[in-house]
Amino acid sequence: MQDEFSVPALIGKGKFEAAVVAARIITLAEIIQIPGFIELTSEQMLRVARTATNLQWVSRPVYWMQRGRGAEWLRGVHPDYRADQVRLENEVRSELYHVVATAAAGDARLLDQLEPDGPTTVSGIRKLLELSEEGGPLHLPDSPVADTGPWRAIAASPDPSERARLAMSLWNSDFLALVPRFAATLRTRLRDVRVCNWDLEGAALLYFVEDANGDILVWVGWEPRLSVEPRPPFWATLPAAARQFLSEVHAGFTMLDGESFGLAQPSYMSTFAAWAGWPADIPDWDRDDVIASTSLLWLTGNGGDTALCTSPNLAVGEAAVLIEGDFSISELGPELDSLMLSPLL
């Protein structure tokens, strides 16, 4: 392997957040191979797999260039950074192996002390308040207001249930059929919809949805007139139902980071390589079993280790699913449905 490339010196921003990833220090692929892991209960397995003890913030270019490989593999970074990453990886590896071994032997005290996975950083009331505080980009009226835009009935209604009903009536039926489990959950757990305004973005609808624990998560649906030319690359690789939704219902429907658990704004979609911070191509990406990173249209992700893409190399209705170092081809509808539903479970 050659070392002529380097990690981009300037890390830009995502649509509303820094382009960073809450990445596992020890990959999920290694975690499930830890001796004794399969002897744990399902709840214990989830605690080990999701613990914040095994998370760190890394830049998006570094994460997708490394994509699930050990820190020793890192290239194009400062030697001190690589050495620090190797040291951190070894420390966390030693801790997790010990925790799993003692739990598998019947003593779960160390496992119970693992720092739990924190709440999502991309949605929820706390995130909404942060974005709408003085000087923030989001502006939410305190009460229903008269509005001359396409959502005037929603803006003027004083009834949360009526606002929710009016918003859902806008959705095209074939897109709802594309994500049936999320659609059914949205119909039963949607508690309110409010019209808001974003600096530089224009009007949007905020969808307040109750999760399985009774907490409220927030999705944002952008005004459809934001879906204008030029279209993103490989636009035709999206199913017609998704293109209609993005053109006529919401020009993007995501959580509050503008890119997760839905479909991003068409103006924000790009090749996967460009979204990951490598416009020319992700170093050492190409192998026989993957599609070139410049031939993938990035659609959405989970705000961390997962991305969902389409490609002209695939049939319309198929998607590439990228999770850490794994690359697989699946049906777009079920994958998008599971991704959108997952925060609510």
Side-chain angles (χ1 to χ4, degrees):
M1 294 187 293
Q2 299 179 1
D3 290 327
E4 63 272 8
F5 73 86
S6 63
V7 174
L10 297 177
I11 303 304
K13 287 184 175 293
K15 197 160 188 67
F16 304 112
E17 298 291 337
V20 294
V21 178
R24 289 187 182 91
I25 299 165
I26 304 301
T27 67
L28 184 59
E30 180 176 350
I31 287 173
I32 63 177
Q33 297 297 324
I34 295 177
F37 182 80
I38 61 173
E39 300 171 27
L40 305 179
T41 67
S42 58
E43 290 184 359
Q44 289 174 328
M45 289 182 184
L46 285 174
R47 189 173 184 91
V48 174
R50 295 177 176 176
T51 177
T53 303
N54 190 37
L55 293 177
Q56 66 168 333
W57 291 107
V58 300
S59 73
R60 187 179 287 164
V62 164
Y63 179 79
W64 287 106
M65 182 262 289
Q66 186 178 2
R67 60 186 180 283
R69 292 176 281 196
E72 290 184 351
W73 183 91
L74 276 172
R75 299 184 298 119
V77 298
H78 193 281
D80 291 347
Y81 176 82
R82 180 168 49 200
D84 287 343
Q85 288 297 296
V86 170
R87 187 179 307 110
L88 175 63
E89 190 177 273
N90 288 335
E91 290 173 355
V92 173
R93 177 181 291 111
S94 177
E95 179 179 358
L96 291 184
Y97 273 61
H98 179 58
V99 166
V100 170
T102 55
D107 183 356
R109 286 176 296 178
L110 291 177
L111 189 149
D112 292 338
Q113 293 171 14
L114 280 180
E115 186 178 357
D117 187 11
T120 175
T121 60
V122 302
S123 200
I125 299 301
R126 179 177 178 181
K127 185 64 177 178
L128 181 67
L129 293 174
E130 175 188 325
L131 291 168
S132 58
E133 65 185 7
E134 185 175 356
L138 188 154
H139 309 283
L140 183 65
D142 293 330
S143 59
V145 295
D147 183 82
T148 58
W151 300 324
R152 67 172 66 89
I154 299 172
S157 174
D159 181 4
S161 297
E162 177 68 3
R163 292 195 293 265
R165 185 193 67 79
L166 289 168
M168 288 304 303
S169 71
L170 301 173
W171 290 46
N172 51 311
S173 59
D174 50 355
F175 182 75
L176 291 171
L178 190 68
V179 289
R181 294 185 300 146
F182 177 77
T185 303
L186 191 60
R187 288 189 183 100
T188 58
R189 296 193 195 169
L190 182 59
R191 299 296 177 244
D192 195 2
V193 173
R194 296 289 301 276
V195 179
C196 69
N197 189 74
W198 293 72
D199 292 344
L200 306 179
E201 298 294 330
L205 293 182
L206 297 178
Y207 288 71
F208 296 82
V209 190
E210 185 176 336
D211 70 11
N213 297 318
D215 297 322
I216 295 296
L217 299 180
V218 186
W219 272 262
V220 54
W222 309 100
E223 191 173 346
R225 66 184 177 186
L226 291 175
S227 182
V228 296
E229 301 292 347
R231 298 296 192 189
F234 315 133
W235 173 249
T237 63
L238 279 165
R243 284 183 277 128
Q244 180 184 355
F245 178 80
L246 292 169
S247 300
E248 301 176 8
V249 182
H250 286 305
F253 182 81
T254 69
M255 283 191 163
L256 292 169
D257 65 343
E259 61 178 55
S260 300
F261 300 105
L263 288 174
Q265 289 185 28
S267 62
Y268 188 47
M269 294 177 181
S270 64
T271 67
F272 180 72
W275 174 81
W278 298 93
D281 199 2
I282 300 175
D284 298 327
W285 176 269
D286 294 338
R287 358 182 263 263
D288 292 340
D289 59 335
V290 302
I291 297 171
S293 62
T294 52
S295 294
L296 292 166
L297 173 62
W298 173 85
L299 306 177
T300 186
N302 67 351
D305 61 6
T306 300
L308 194 59
C309 305
T310 55
S311 172
N313 295 32
L314 301 173
V316 174
E318 291 185 323
V321 184
L322 290 69
I323 303 176
E324 289 190 341
D326 293 334
F327 182 99
S328 61
I329 305 301
S330 186
E331 292 183 62
L332 175 61
E335 292 293 342
L336 182 60
D337 195 17
S338 295
L339 180 70
M340 296 173 74
L341 183 63
S342 59
L344 297 171
L345 299 178

